[in-house]
Amino acid sequence: MSSVKRPIFARIYTRFSQAAEKAGTAAHRDELLGGVAGRVIEVGAGNGLNFTHYPSSVVEVVAVEPEPYLRDRASEEAERASVPITVMPGTAEDLPADDESFDIAVTSLVLCSVLDPSRALQEIKRVLRPGGELRFFEHVRSHDHRLARVQTVADKTIWPRVAGGCHAARDTRQAIADAGFEIDDERRFDFRPCSLAFLTAPHIIGRARR
């Protein structure tokens, strides 16, 4: 399966994401992609808002996005980027890429919504060269037990249905470590681009090595 159709959510997300960029997400993208170089695969590229943040040290980006509407928006963004970017269909669990063919993999607010995080991370590991790097910027399960319980209840009820398959309670940091990556650097912080984003306020940004 290379396509995931969520047309209503995709349009809502596209509108919301523009406001989130101004509220601070753009600065987090700069932090995420600082110093990135070589050949890059971006997993779950969404509407392509990372693209203009890639530095000139990147020689190529292959951006994988399963949702058709978001993929079309990403293709438009790719034309504005200063580095070569190819946008293509595909899912995180079945990346359209050869083994050990990338220097860096990037996930940005995507591991919350993939169907199988463990398989997705193994796929990322497969396409990275030995010593290659995973750059991640994700919202995660809260360290506050009260909020974590609320996140868990939300995940079991309505949240994935209204948020395009998103899961608020995923411990993505632990999933990265369990996949065999060595986490070199990480920063946890709370970020609410709007008052309604309390469920997904806990975030993590960092680097891990294959």
Side-chain angles (χ1 to χ4, degrees):
M1 181 179 65
S2 62
S3 180
V4 176
K5 294 183 179 180
R6 294 178 176 137
I8 296 174
F9 172 78
R11 285 162 173 78
I12 294 171
Y13 175 79
T14 297
R15 293 190 64 179
F16 169 79
S17 64
Q18 299 296 335
E21 294 300 296
K22 296 176 182 178
T25 306
H28 297 143
R29 296 185 195 281
D30 282 336
E31 180 180 354
L32 172 71
L33 299 175
V36 168
R39 195 163 186 252
V40 178
I41 184 166
E42 183 171 337
V43 181
N47 51 341
L49 293 182
N50 276 334
F51 293 173
T52 58
H53 297 266
Y54 280 106
S56 58
S57 50
V58 170
V59 298
E60 180 189 15
V61 177
V62 174
V64 180
E65 173 52 48
E67 210 293 318
Y69 180 85
L70 293 177
R71 190 166 61 246
D72 287 345
R73 304 292 78 73
S75 295
E76 294 168 0
E77 284 294 317
E79 296 177 3
R80 304 183 184 99
S82 59
V83 301
I85 297 177
T86 302
V87 180
M88 59 194 309
T91 63
E93 295 88 351
D94 188 17
L95 293 173
D98 293 334
D99 294 356
E100 301 181 1
S101 54
F102 292 93
D103 302 296
I104 290 178
V106 173
T107 70
S108 175
L109 305 175
V110 67
L111 293 176
C112 60
S113 60
V114 298
L115 294 177
D116 187 339
S118 177
R119 181 175 170 182
L121 285 162
Q122 289 302 325
E123 271 291 275
I124 291 170
K125 195 173 178 183
R126 176 184 69 81
V127 303
L128 277 175
R129 64 169 175 76
E133 192 173 70
L134 168 62
R135 296 287 186 104
F136 55 92
F137 165 41
E138 303 285 345
H139 67 77
V140 293
R141 182 178 180 85
S142 178
H143 281 172
D144 183 308
H145 297 306
R146 293 168 297 179
L147 178 55
R149 284 195 294 270
V150 174
Q151 289 175 317
T152 299
V153 170
D155 280 0
K156 291 179 178 179
T157 53
I158 194 172
W159 185 247
R161 297 178 185 178
V162 301
C166 173
H167 294 76
R170 283 186 176 170
D171 188 349
T172 297
R173 192 268 182 205
Q174 189 60 50
I176 291 170
D178 289 346
F181 286 94
E182 181 178 345
I183 296 177
D184 293 332
D185 182 65
E186 60 182 294
R187 180 173 74 88
R188 286 183 174 267
F189 59 98
D190 276 1
F191 173 58
R192 299 187 187 188
C194 72
S195 59
L196 298 177
F198 74 96
L199 266 182
T200 57
H203 282 67
I204 189 169
I205 193 167
R207 299 175 294 163
R209 195 164 299 279
R210 177 183 186 267

